[in-house]
Amino acid sequence: MYTFGRLTALFFVFVVLIQLGCVVREVVVTPTPDPADASEPAEPSATETTAAQEPTPEPSKPEETPLPQEERIYQLGITADLTTTNYWAYLGPDGTMWNQYVLTGTKPTLYSYSDQRFDWIPSLAADFPSPLIEEVVGEETLWSTEVDLKQGVKWNDGTDVTADDFVFTAHTANELQLTGNWPSIVDPEFFDHAEALDPYKLKIFFKKKPGLARWQFGLAFMPIFSKAYWEPVVTEAMKAGDSTEQQKLLYAHVPQSEPSAGGFQFDRWEQGAYAEKDRNDDFYFRDSLVTQYANGAYSESKPGVYEYFAYGEPGEEKSLEYTVGPHFESAIYSIYGSQDAAVLALKKGDIDFMLNPLGLSKGLQEQMQGQDGLSTIENPSSGVRYLGFNFRRPPMDNKAFRQAVATLIDKEFITETVLQGVAIPVYTMVPEGNKAWHNANVPMIGQGLSRGDRVAEAVSLLKGAGFTWEKEPRVSEDGNFIEQQGEGLKMPNGEPVPEMSLIAPSAGYDPLRSTFAIWIERWMNEMGIPLRADLTGFNLIVEKVFNTQDFDMWILGWGLSIFPDYLEAFFHSRHSDLEEYNPGGYNNPEFDRLSDELLAETDLESAQQQVFRLQEFLADELPYVVLFTTPIVETFRSDRIEFPYTESLGGLQEAAGLPTIVHIK
């Protein structure tokens, strides 16, 4: 047994503290050990997305009458369309939550997280890896580790999943310099190469000793692709010119009958209507029994196939137990034009579960109250919503300007008074629900200030940095309103502050972020900052921010991983190119140094202190003004489906409605 040693013990103490619970853009970030707002999912605009022509299932049968096999269809609803069915692209420039919802569950990984507790456990790997050792390879000194693979895990074309599939996937990501989430999964600063010592034994080589972020919670979670299917596609892509052209060709490939080694195989996508996945009857882990014990032990077994134990001897008290599925024939993801339409479908029984990274709004929650056959649950969120700046355009590159903007945004007023408590103001990128890594003592710029004090502080910040007005803003004596609106604001170089736009999701997609955008526009204009809120579709925002970088400020959100290496991915200067996760172009050598140290850290306690320091740094520098989070409220048809548990950081949707363990009644 590989010993993770003191690191393991500490990590799982932290996990117990988390207990409630790769980057996805509403987007996902990280190799969805969680990664991109993994970052955030693509949000629809009113003109881009039509109401779904969803398949309508047969009415639910009484609980005591099991459904015939042909009717065991898991019906899910999503409120934005996919942008790709290509998994390489999903972890690259198309890292949206909507793509994640549908595409996950088809690729094997060496390691994964256990349900609820987030124990680090083997998946395709037969056990924990060997300790990292330093060795001389040719003329280089590298670090290496070995991993044994389970035998008998198959792609659904009947061929074995082997070490060669891992080698092919990692080398492709590295050689094509893939973008998006890929650099945080296969980091070229650390990963050198991998070798298949035999079909079921891997050896992985690193250029320098990898820390937690780049091995245990990075490369170890890499989705593994079928070499037999993808090698011809990659070979053809590599004939193109530079790496950008090669990436485009790879991302543009539309997979047809791509082999799956997960619980499902992707079947079809009817744009604007639905996507469908079919059960993989050859799924290796199907019918495995997973048991977690109150004393921290973990066990997993499949009669006649394998048995595995970790983290101590099983105790008498079980904290969770379930049998791995899928327990149904297929999953259909119907695409709706709005939350309202999806909620109506849920109430009518057309869908069993509604997936939305925002959860249910307060109004929709009220609509669900008292509805027969429905159950509503609430969990802490694993994501945040934020305002970002384009550092390539002044005055966004000026720290005093960003701090003035943050000071003027009264998060408490919007969340508590305007939004009636449905959102929670936040000041750091690590959500409070992620207890092991959340720093509650970061600078909280603007917190607790009156309207008058906010304006006075913003004026002081701007004047101190050399900004001037033709007519300076003035607050009334009682401090409740702007008596004189600012006009003619000039930057320190004497040039007028240019007209700027703030692109944000429309009210039809997310009334919370659109509300923030409208109030921010008002407060900036009162100061003489010429800002206009541009409420639009999510896919358009993603295109402007991540693909063309044609924006001034933007509001989006991120779904976040447990291990917060996304702080490096979002803000390190090396990730500021097109289709990467620092589209604002934030560039600070001191931050780069600190985040590089986090990537190299192998000690968990030290990593926690580094994460705390990074949060403090970012709360002062403000490449993002973190705005708010929301509890994740989800409703599902409990008269038709059941889950082995409902408490989890980020809600059930974090695992796309837990399709491999949900039961159809």
Side-chain angles (χ1 to χ4, degrees):
M1 166 76 77
Y2 166 74
T3 55
F4 213 6
R6 182 164 170 267
L7 177 62
T8 298
L10 285 171
F11 176 66
F12 294 108
V13 167
F14 286 136
V15 166
V16 168
L17 291 175
I18 295 171
Q19 213 50 257
L20 301 168
C22 205
V23 200
V24 172
R25 259 187 316 255
E26 228 139 71
V27 169
V28 181
V29 100
T30 64
T32 315
D34 180 16
D37 308 45
S39 238
E40 284 195 1
E43 308 177 6
S45 73
T47 58
E48 291 168 342
T49 306
T50 58
Q53 298 140 26
E54 70 280 359
T56 304
E58 294 289 327
S60 299
K61 303 291 192 298
E63 185 173 339
E64 65 273 10
T65 306
L67 289 168
Q69 281 297 106
E70 64 270 15
E71 294 182 11
R72 290 185 176 273
I73 299 173
Y74 187 21
Q75 299 278 3
L76 302 104
I78 56 179
T79 56
D81 207 346
L82 283 68
T83 60
T84 186
T85 59
N86 180 318
Y87 213 103
W88 298 98
Y90 149 61
L91 286 176
D94 288 285
T96 78
M97 189 70 84
W98 312 106
N99 294 334
Q100 179 194 13
Y101 286 150
V102 178
L103 297 181
T104 51
T106 61
K107 299 285 184 288
T109 60
L110 293 180
Y111 296 90
S112 64
Y113 284 127
S114 68
D115 292 86
Q116 282 193 304
R117 258 189 355 212
F118 300 106
D119 300 337
W120 192 63
I121 56 172
S123 184
L124 177 62
D127 206 332
F128 292 120
S130 66
L132 286 158
I133 61 170
E134 196 172 15
E135 61 178 289
V136 176
V137 180
E139 297 182 356
E140 296 181 292
T141 300
L142 303 175
W143 289 84
S144 68
T145 181
E146 295 183 5
V147 181
D148 291 318
L149 307 185
K150 291 183 174 75
Q151 299 186 31
V153 181
K154 293 184 179 297
W155 300 105
N156 66 339
D157 62 4
T159 60
D160 280 5
V161 179
T162 68
D164 280 326
D165 293 310
F166 179 94
V167 172
F168 165 75
T169 305
H171 286 196
T172 297
N174 197 42
E175 290 166 16
L176 268 65
Q177 302 172 43
L178 298 185
T179 56
N181 286 302
W182 283 108
S184 64
I185 305 170
V186 186
D187 189 336
E189 295 288 321
F190 288 85
F191 177 74
D192 189 83
H193 72 283
E195 297 176 2
L197 301 181
D198 65 40
Y200 308 105
K201 192 176 190 67
L202 265 173
K203 189 169 186 179
I204 304 169
F205 295 86
F206 298 93
K207 297 173 184 175
K208 52 188 176 182
K209 189 175 184 180
L212 299 166
R214 287 302 178 256
W215 170 220
Q216 288 90 342
F217 304 121
L219 186 63
F221 282 96
M222 181 188 74
I224 299 169
F225 291 70
S226 165
K227 178 181 179 180
Y229 177 89
W230 282 102
E231 188 171 39
V233 178
V234 171
T235 300
E236 189 63 29
M238 294 183 75
K239 294 178 182 177
D242 59 14
S243 62
T244 300
E245 290 302 314
Q246 294 171 1
Q247 293 165 19
K248 287 180 179 178
L249 283 176
L250 177 62
Y251 294 152
H253 178 78
V254 179
Q256 299 291 336
S257 301
E258 178 189 1
S260 168
F264 298 90
Q265 177 171 10
F266 185 84
D267 182 14
R268 74 182 88 178
W269 171 32
E270 295 292 337
Q271 293 190 28
Y274 68 94
E276 183 173 4
K277 295 191 300 193
D278 296 330
R279 185 174 72 188
N280 176 11
D281 289 328
D282 296 323
F283 181 42
Y284 178 86
F285 296 98
R286 188 179 176 195
D287 298 327
S288 297
L289 180 67
V290 174
T291 307
Q292 294 178 179
Y293 297 87
N295 67 356
Y298 176 90
S299 76
E300 191 179 310
S301 62
K302 185 174 182 177
V305 180
Y306 77 102
E307 189 172 45
Y308 182 78
F309 298 90
Y311 306 118
E313 294 296 324
E316 294 184 2
E317 185 181 351
K318 299 175 181 179
S319 59
L320 177 65
E321 187 170 69
Y322 63 87
T323 301
V324 177
H327 304 291
F328 49 86
E329 300 304 304
S330 66
I332 295 177
Y333 298 76
S334 298
I335 302 163
Y336 295 89
S338 67
Q339 278 202 55
D340 289 319
V343 165
L344 180 60
L346 188 60
K347 291 167 67 175
K348 289 168 57 182
D350 291 344
I351 59 175
D352 305 316
F353 194 95
M354 179 181 128
L355 297 170
N356 191 300
L358 310 174
L360 286 176
S361 66
K362 192 175 185 67
L364 295 177
Q365 292 173 37
E366 293 171 352
Q367 290 184 34
M368 295 295 189
Q369 292 177 358
Q371 293 285 323
D372 291 339
L374 296 177
S375 292
T376 299
I377 58 174
E378 180 174 310
N379 281 292
S381 173
S382 63
V384 296
R385 314 293 188 264
Y386 65 90
L387 163 70
F389 300 92
N390 189 342
F391 280 68
R392 302 172 186 87
R393 298 180 180 178
M396 275 80 73
D397 59 343
N398 187 296
K399 177 179 173 180
F401 176 81
R402 301 191 302 274
Q403 289 187 335
V405 170
T407 301
L408 292 167
I409 300 173
D410 193 338
K411 304 173 191 177
E412 286 73 19
F413 168 75
I414 297 178
T415 56
E416 295 167 12
T417 302
V418 179
L419 299 177
Q420 296 293 298
V422 299
I424 303 164
V426 291
Y427 290 84
T428 178
M429 281 296 296
V430 180
E432 185 177 1
N434 193 351
K435 296 183 183 298
W437 303 99
H438 171 75
N439 184 355
N441 298 312
V442 301
M444 298 184 182
I445 293 176
Q447 187 184 51
L449 296 182
S450 67
R451 185 85 238 131
D453 288 341
R454 288 179 186 277
V455 172
E457 176 65 16
V459 168
S460 177
L461 283 166
L462 292 172
K463 290 175 73 172
F467 288 80
T468 58
W469 285 265
E470 292 177 3
K471 184 185 293 184
E472 189 173 306
R474 186 174 65 246
V475 182
S476 62
E477 287 189 11
D478 60 12
N480 291 329
F481 64 93
I482 296 289
E483 189 173 72
Q484 176 174 285
Q485 184 165 308
E487 294 179 7
L489 181 61
K490 292 183 174 62
M491 295 185 289
N493 63 6
E495 296 180 5
V497 171
E499 296 279 343
M500 295 176 289
S501 68
L502 167 59
I503 50 177
S506 65
Y509 178 81
D510 181 11
L512 306 186
R513 277 178 285 188
S514 64
T515 298
F516 262 88
I518 290 167
W519 278 94
I520 290 170
E521 176 192 70
R522 173 179 173 175
W523 289 326
M524 297 307 116
N525 288 328
E526 288 176 344
M527 283 291 293
I529 299 172
L531 181 69
R532 176 180 57 85
D534 180 8
L535 306 183
T536 187
F538 180 81
N539 287 335
L540 182 58
I541 300 173
V542 170
E543 175 66 22
K544 285 189 171 185
V545 174
F546 293 93
N547 297 340
T548 66
Q549 296 179 349
D550 180 20
F551 64 93
D552 296 310
M553 303 182 204
W554 83 101
I555 294 179
L556 279 179
W558 289 102
L560 303 168
S561 57
I562 299 299
F563 188 75
D565 56 329
Y566 53 79
L567 297 176
E568 183 273 340
F570 293 162
F571 304 114
H572 196 293
S573 61
R574 65 168 156 253
H575 302 306
S576 58
D577 291 338
L578 292 176
E579 299 180 349
E580 296 205 35
Y581 285 109
N582 179 12
Y586 177 62
N587 186 342
N588 186 303
E590 177 63 10
F591 179 85
D592 287 355
R593 182 186 67 79
L594 292 171
S595 59
D596 282 337
E597 290 177 359
L598 173 63
L599 298 190
E601 186 55 65
T602 60
D603 177 79
L604 199 70
E605 284 183 311
S606 297
Q608 186 195 40
Q609 294 306 310
Q610 289 168 337
V611 167
F612 276 37
R613 174 72 183 107
L614 289 174
Q615 290 176 75
E616 293 166 3
F617 195 98
L618 293 169
D620 177 67
E621 278 282 295
L622 296 173
Y624 287 174
V625 178
V626 190
L627 299 173
F628 68 96
T629 188
T630 57
I632 297 298
V633 178
E634 301 165 303
T635 298
F636 60 93
R637 294 220 64 94
S638 52
D639 60 350
R640 179 174 161 83
I641 61 173
E642 60 184 354
F643 300 102
Y645 62 87
T646 56
E647 301 82 26
S648 184
L649 177 64
L652 298 182
Q653 64 181 310
E654 282 294 301
L658 307 179
T660 57
I661 58 179
V662 67
H663 284 264
I664 307 290
K665 294 183 180 179

